Amino acid sequence: MPLRIDPTATIGRINPALHGQFIEYLGECIDGGIWVGPDADVPHTGGIRQGVLDALIELAPPVLRWPGGCYADTYHWRDGIGDRATRPTTFNENFGTYELDDHAFGTDEYLRLCEAIGAEPWINVNMMTGTPAEARDWMEYVNRDSGTDLAEQRAANGHPAPYGVRFWGIGNEPWGGGGTMTPASYTDAYRAFASAMPRFTGSVFETPAAYPIASGPDGNKPRERVAWTREFLRSLTSFRQPPIAGYDLHFYNWNIDHEDDTPTRFDQAGWDRVIASSLELEEVIVEQWGLIQEGLANVPQPESSLDTRLEHLDLIVGEWGNWHRDAFFVRPALRQQVTMRDAITTALSLDILQRHADKVSIACNAQTVNVLNSLILTDGDATILTPNYDVFLMYKAHRGATALATERVDPASGAHVFASVAEDGAVLVNLTNPSMTEPVEVELEFVTPMRLERIETLASDEPTRHNTAEQPDAVRRVATMLDGAAARTHTLRLAAGSVNVVRAV
Ligand code: AHR
């Protein structure tokens, strides 16, 4: 049976924010990676490493989350503004980073980076060791247009215009490193932080632009995540609801139980295992979305027309990616190489997020540079683009496209499938062959005749191959223009262990 692609079988618009990124001061993500400082010999713009900046400008991630992660929960924003020479030095213990933190990359450096690459900022406030007052002041510093001391301080620091940050995360993983809270204790804290947010509106009847994001569950704990979300929604919706727009679950594809398996040394079993376990994200999304709808259905009707009723809550996957065992033991902390095994799980995770475009609003890969599921690695002066970077670039055309319902896996070939109709009307078909050793053939069938215009392929004839400073293009995508005729069916051969994006017009 051919694999049928029907452009009328629509699911919903793919919010570009599903292609978000996440940066945090862990290992060398920021210090030494993105941030080299204005005195560096490495080429840079205003202290941002040029290689990273150029790569991010080309990728244009729609969202960039910062400062964490767990780092956010010990981060005091005032340490990172103003003259860098007078910023305090603290010690960063998060996730084995164990480095002095001179706070050189702070709020203004981050927000300027967002401006330079066209990303919408998502700032996570410190809920564990910070206060609602500190978080409120941060919002004032960033978003108040003028007149107040904090707005003037921002202007004096070089940015007279308010930054207009909408996305504010409140807490991070409160069930674990973010406070070992219960859903009820987190909800109580959330209520205080969210209620303290400035409104920045001209009238009490105007809806604030702010998009407050609550922490969701640990997506890797099947029992706990159900209980957490049920209980969170119950405590959030009994009595009046605080401002809330998004609910941020985290899901890592853990590969930590096999000592001999490293990011660049694995066998067929390790390849298959890591690819198979990445698919659990789909189940988590469907389950959590259902629990949110269940919780919203129970919100009591308000007793007065002045009260609002929470009707909707966006599901967010604020951290996702592969986490290999070695990341716990290496220095710089959490640095992982990236092979086709990771590129395939990155592609399949994006397929899942896009297929659930009607359920998920924002998602961030963890993390962009030198940490975990990296798109970019740095090594001395060198900036290396990993195969994950290629996947994100290949998938860029899906941003704003309309997701289509298709088979998830082509029964005939075993290839994983995702399709969308791009904003220009072209049909984009992702075909990922998860077999480490065997090429496969896929027979595509369109409803009306279509011409295959182009195929981009990311593959390697050696599954453990990876890009390094010496061989930066060892694994790189290849685009091929096709000149066949329009037809309803087309047969494509997919290389072993490959990610492919076909454009049909
Ligand atoms: O991405 C690394 C860490 O993983 C983050 O700081 C934390 O939120 C998660 O546990």
Side-chain angles (χ1 to χ4, degrees):
M1 275 270 283
L3 176 65
R4 192 176 158 83
I5 308 291
D6 178 355
T8 64
T10 57
I11 294 174
R13 179 176 182 269
I14 298 168
N15 188 340
L18 292 182
H19 288 210
Q21 293 293 330
F22 171 38
I23 60 168
E24 177 176 17
Y25 179 14
L26 295 182
E28 283 190 352
C29 176
I30 293 179
D31 284 28
I34 296 169
W35 179 255
V36 290
D39 302 326
D41 294 332
V42 185
H44 65 88
T45 297
I48 303 287
R49 183 190 286 264
Q50 197 62 44
V52 171
L53 186 60
D54 292 344
L56 292 181
I57 287 172
E58 185 178 3
L59 183 66
V63 173
L64 188 65
R65 178 172 180 249
W66 172 87
C70 56
Y71 177 79
D73 268 327
T74 52
Y75 184 70
H76 297 288
W77 68 274
R78 283 190 168 87
D79 292 348
I81 57 163
D83 182 2
R84 281 187 213 103
T86 61
R87 296 186 192 179
T89 297
T90 57
F91 195 73
N92 182 356
E93 286 195 327
N94 287 293
F95 274 110
T97 295
Y98 296 123
E99 298 283 353
L100 291 173
D101 181 356
D102 63 6
H103 296 279
F105 184 90
T107 301
D108 292 289
E109 287 80 8
Y110 159 69
L111 290 171
R112 288 221 182 80
L113 172 63
C114 289
E115 285 176 345
I117 64 176
E120 180 151 12
W122 165 354
I123 295 182
N124 233 80
V125 305
N126 176 350
M127 170 182 261
M128 189 171 69
T129 63
T131 62
E134 183 185 12
R136 183 183 164 90
D137 282 354
W138 200 358
M139 295 167 190
E140 286 283 345
Y141 176 84
V142 165
N143 281 348
R144 179 71 59 192
D145 50 3
S146 62
T148 64
D149 285 1
L150 286 167
E152 295 310 314
Q153 205 175 346
R154 182 196 63 240
N157 290 338
H159 207 280
Y163 287 106
V165 174
R166 280 195 310 145
F167 298 147
W168 293 95
I170 297 180
N172 177 71
E173 302 190 348
W175 30 263
T180 359
M181 298 182 187
T182 64
S185 64
Y186 171 70
T187 314
D188 286 348
Y190 178 87
R191 283 178 178 279
F193 275 77
S195 304
M197 291 178 79
R199 293 174 57 87
F200 301 112
T201 57
S203 105
V204 288
F205 296 106
E206 212 178 301
T207 309
Y211 184 103
I213 300 171
S215 296
D218 180 347
N220 294 94
K221 299 273 188 317
R223 282 193 305 275
E224 186 188 277
R225 71 183 184 229
V226 170
W228 182 280
T229 298
R230 282 216 169 106
E231 183 56 24
F232 169 76
L233 277 150
R234 199 199 54 72
S235 37
L236 184 83
T237 59
S238 46
F239 298 96
R240 298 179 205 189
Q241 296 95 61
I244 183 167
Y247 184 62
D248 170 24
L249 78 83
H250 293 175
F251 176 84
Y252 283 99
N253 184 28
W254 292 105
N255 177 31
I256 52 176
D257 295 330
H258 297 79
E259 271 181 44
D260 293 341
D261 186 301
T262 75
T264 56
R265 197 182 62 236
F266 49 82
D267 56 13
Q268 168 112 36
W271 168 281
D272 291 341
R273 184 186 62 245
V274 170
I275 292 174
S277 55
S278 71
L279 302 176
E280 192 194 337
L281 175 61
E282 185 143 25
E283 189 186 310
V284 180
I285 289 171
V286 173
E287 167 205 286
Q288 290 293 315
W289 188 81
L291 290 169
I292 290 173
Q293 308 322 308
E294 195 180 289
L296 291 174
N298 293 328
V299 182
Q301 288 302 328
E303 292 185 281
S304 140
S305 57
L306 280 177
D307 298 336
T308 53
R309 179 180 190 267
L310 182 64
E311 304 277 356
H312 182 85
L313 185 56
D314 285 348
L315 180 61
I316 294 174
V317 184
E319 296 182 23
W320 65 266
N322 285 352
W323 193 316
H324 299 292
R325 180 188 169 88
D326 255 24
F328 283 116
F329 307 107
V330 294
R331 292 203 63 79
L334 300 183
R335 183 183 166 105
Q336 294 179 169
Q337 253 298 354
V338 175
T339 65
M340 272 312 298
R341 179 171 68 163
D342 304 286
I344 286 179
T345 59
T346 295
L348 297 181
S349 302
L350 286 172
D351 285 350
I352 292 169
L353 291 163
Q354 294 177 158
R355 182 157 49 240
H356 294 284
D358 55 342
K359 303 183 188 69
V360 192
S361 302
I362 306 175
C364 297
N365 170 62
Q367 300 190 4
T368 317
V369 181
N370 287 337
V371 162
L372 301 176
N373 206 46
S374 306
L375 273 56
I376 302 170
L377 294 172
T378 62
D379 182 0
D381 288 3
T383 300
I384 304 139
L385 305 179
T386 73
N388 282 343
Y389 181 83
D390 286 51
V391 172
F392 270 90
L393 264 195
M394 289 163 70
Y395 275 36
K396 203 172 163 183
H398 289 293
R399 297 180 193 170
T402 302
L404 298 179
T406 64
E407 297 277 10
R408 289 169 171 70
V409 177
D410 173 29
S413 65
H416 289 248
V417 187
F418 172 78
S420 75
V421 181
E423 284 175 326
D424 66 359
V427 174
L428 305 167
V429 186
N430 299 348
L431 295 166
T432 295
N433 177 8
S435 168
M436 186 166 103
T437 50
E438 302 304 319
V440 294
E441 275 194 355
V442 174
E443 198 182 351
L444 281 184
E445 182 186 78
F446 294 98
V447 177
T448 54
M450 298 207 79
R451 188 172 66 78
L452 301 191
E453 187 182 70
R454 197 171 105 113
I455 181 166
E456 267 196 292
T457 297
L458 180 66
S460 169
D461 48 18
E462 173 53 64
T464 58
R465 186 166 293 151
H466 48 275
N467 297 337
T468 60
E470 294 71 36
Q471 288 194 297
D473 297 320
V475 187
R476 202 80 301 147
R477 69 192 181 284
V478 176
T480 310
M481 297 309 287
L482 306 169
D483 54 10
R488 278 194 62 207
T489 59
H490 298 268
T491 302
L492 290 160
R493 187 178 161 82
L494 311 181
S498 64
V499 177
N500 308 270
V501 180
V502 182
R503 183 180 151 89
V505 290

